[in-house]
Amino acid sequence: MTNNYKIIILTIATIFGLVACSTDKTSDVVNDEMLETDETDDESEITYSGTASITQGIAMTTESNLFSAGTRVAGEGAIEASDATIWTVPAEVNYTDDIFPFASDLHNVYGNTYSTAADAVAALDGSDIIEIDSEGELITGYVFADNYFEMYVNGVPVGKDAVPFTEFNSSIVRFKVSAPYTIAIKLVDWEESLGIGTESSGGSDFHPGDGGMVAVFKNEFDEVVAISGSDWKAQTFYTAPIKDLSCPTESGTIRNSDNCDVADSNNGSNYYGLHWEIPLNWYDEAFDDSAWPDATIYTNNTIGVNNKPSYTNFTDIFDDNNNDAVFIWSTNVILDNEVIVRYTVE
Ligand SMILES: [Ca+2]
Ligand SMILES: [Ca+2]
Ligand SMILES: [Ca+2]
Ligand SMILES: [Ca+2]
């Protein structure tokens, strides 16, 4: 049950601004302007009918670039919400944690690029295989994620994406496990303007990028045992940019921003972000995801993969006529930037 309530958005920027102005004895003009701005903010009570913590504006950069070879800068930031909680944007990840293994390459212009999945698998020496159950089946997973993934099976890390942002890449994970087992993946649609979910694109400084993930899992007989689809669960934990806080709605566990504006702009510095806490044991087999929304499916055209060799080289895997894996995400593939998907293989 969600209660409607009113919050007064007093931005961190305004607080800092007032502090700065109160110590600035030389600029009465600026002081007057700031006070007027403050009055305006006080009057603008904004109706937000959801459970998220709300941030406004661009985060403080805490990591300038996780992957300096990449085309777009994959930074990380921290930002304080109106309820004084602090959030890592676009997501807390294990990219620099050596204990969390990298997935192997299907196609990665900074690593190995293969023309076929068979070539990519043939190049592996077995040291990549994560053993969850010693007597388990060898499962090979093929993943394309826009932009970044971290995958667990029964709570065990089995692979993280080699490229956090761009260029687009695709990956292989291999693990030994006994059914039933649960696949849980953290997905991040990375951002250039930290905290507001945007990137520079098409002449606009603040273009809301999109996400999307497709995955296929096969056993050692090359039989498909799981594909991404609407029978997966998907929940969002970070939604941005939000231009109007009265736009997003919640119904039960559904965090809906489908009616929110996604148009490009050249001034996103006051946009909002919505943040929800991720359950501590989200990757465990025992985590109860039954109340989570089903994944929403998206076409290849919507995700825009038809010109990307990291996808098109492997359509025999991702677009199998008999077992067509489809792109999944939460309900909003543009505004939802940190999404967790889960699926149990019986
Ligand atoms: Ca990637
Ligand atoms: Ca996005
Ligand atoms: Ca993206
Ligand atoms: Ca497909």
Side-chain angles (χ1 to χ4, degrees):
M1 168 108 188
T2 300
N3 292 320
N4 287 355
Y5 56 93
K6 287 187 170 184
I7 59 164
I8 300 169
I9 299 301
L10 183 58
T11 69
I12 304 307
T14 305
I15 295 169
F16 287 166
L18 284 173
V19 171
C21 287
S22 65
T23 57
D24 180 357
K25 295 168 184 168
T26 62
S27 177
D28 291 334
V29 176
V30 172
N31 269 327
D32 288 343
E33 284 174 358
M34 288 307 302
L35 288 171
E36 280 170 23
T37 302
D38 183 41
E39 282 166 16
T40 306
D41 281 353
D42 281 346
E43 286 161 7
S44 63
E45 293 186 0
I46 297 160
T47 301
Y48 169 67
S49 59
T51 59
S53 294
I54 300 164
T55 58
Q56 186 178 21
I58 294 174
M60 180 180 71
T61 298
T62 54
E63 166 65 53
S64 58
N65 195 353
L66 287 171
F67 185 67
S68 56
T71 303
R72 290 186 185 273
V73 172
E76 288 238 289
I79 188 166
E80 182 171 4
S82 58
D83 62 6
T85 51
I86 307 286
W87 299 87
T88 299
V89 288
E92 278 185 31
V93 294
N94 295 289
Y95 191 76
T96 58
D97 181 352
D98 293 339
I99 293 169
F100 202 117
F102 277 107
S104 306
D105 291 331
L106 259 183
H107 192 282
N108 171 8
V109 294
Y110 312 104
N112 305 291
T113 56
Y114 298 103
S115 337
T116 70
D119 288 351
V121 171
L124 300 174
D125 66 5
S127 62
D128 58 297
I129 298 170
I130 305 296
E131 187 174 290
I132 299 157
D133 298 312
S134 57
E135 301 300 313
E137 265 191 298
L138 175 62
I139 304 295
T140 303
Y142 304 88
V143 187
F144 177 102
D146 180 346
N147 296 94
Y148 179 75
F149 74 89
E150 292 183 349
M151 187 188 302
Y152 297 78
V153 173
N154 288 355
V156 177
V158 299
K160 63 187 172 192
D161 197 329
V163 183
F165 203 166
T166 62
E167 295 293 318
F168 289 95
N169 63 311
S170 49
S171 310
I172 299 177
V173 293
R174 297 201 297 175
F175 49 90
K176 282 182 78 176
V177 70
S178 302
Y181 55 92
T182 299
I183 301 162
I185 314 176
K186 178 183 280 192
L187 299 168
V188 185
D189 175 27
W190 219 275
E191 58 196 22
E192 284 177 327
S193 290
L194 298 169
I196 56 173
T198 63
E199 61 202 46
S200 175
S201 180
S204 164
D205 292 339
F206 298 93
H207 165 76
D210 66 356
M213 189 281 302
V214 63
V216 173
F217 297 85
K218 293 187 170 190
N219 64 17
E220 45 202 294
F221 307 107
D222 209 36
E223 297 163 338
V224 173
V225 294
I227 52 176
S228 51
S230 58
D231 50 352
W232 288 50
K233 295 290 188 178
Q235 181 60 291
T236 183
F237 293 90
Y238 167 42
T239 302
I242 294 294
K243 303 176 184 179
D244 174 357
L245 283 174
S246 66
C247 171
T249 60
E250 286 185 33
S251 172
T253 60
I254 297 174
R255 300 163 180 173
N256 195 329
S257 56
D258 276 356
N259 295 320
C260 299
D261 181 20
V262 298
D264 290 2
S265 87
N266 282 311
N267 185 6
S269 53
N270 287 322
Y271 290 164
Y272 300 99
L274 305 180
H275 308 261
W276 293 265
E277 194 168 355
I278 295 177
L280 280 178
N281 61 337
W282 65 268
Y283 39 69
D284 284 344
E285 200 175 7
F287 178 76
D288 182 6
D289 59 23
S290 58
W292 278 16
D294 292 338
T296 303
I297 64 173
Y298 298 91
T299 66
N300 290 2
N301 279 341
T302 298
I303 307 301
V305 290
N306 292 329
N307 61 349
K308 295 179 174 67
S310 51
Y311 187 86
T312 55
N313 283 9
F314 314 102
T315 50
D316 60 321
I317 303 285
F318 295 127
D319 297 329
D320 186 323
N321 286 333
N322 299 316
N323 283 295
D324 184 20
V326 290
F327 277 94
I328 60 172
W329 202 253
S330 56
T331 53
N332 195 324
V333 76
I334 297 174
L335 296 183
D336 292 341
N337 303 316
E338 183 181 19
V339 171
I340 290 173
V341 297
R342 287 174 50 95
Y343 182 78
T344 296
V345 180
E346 301 293 348

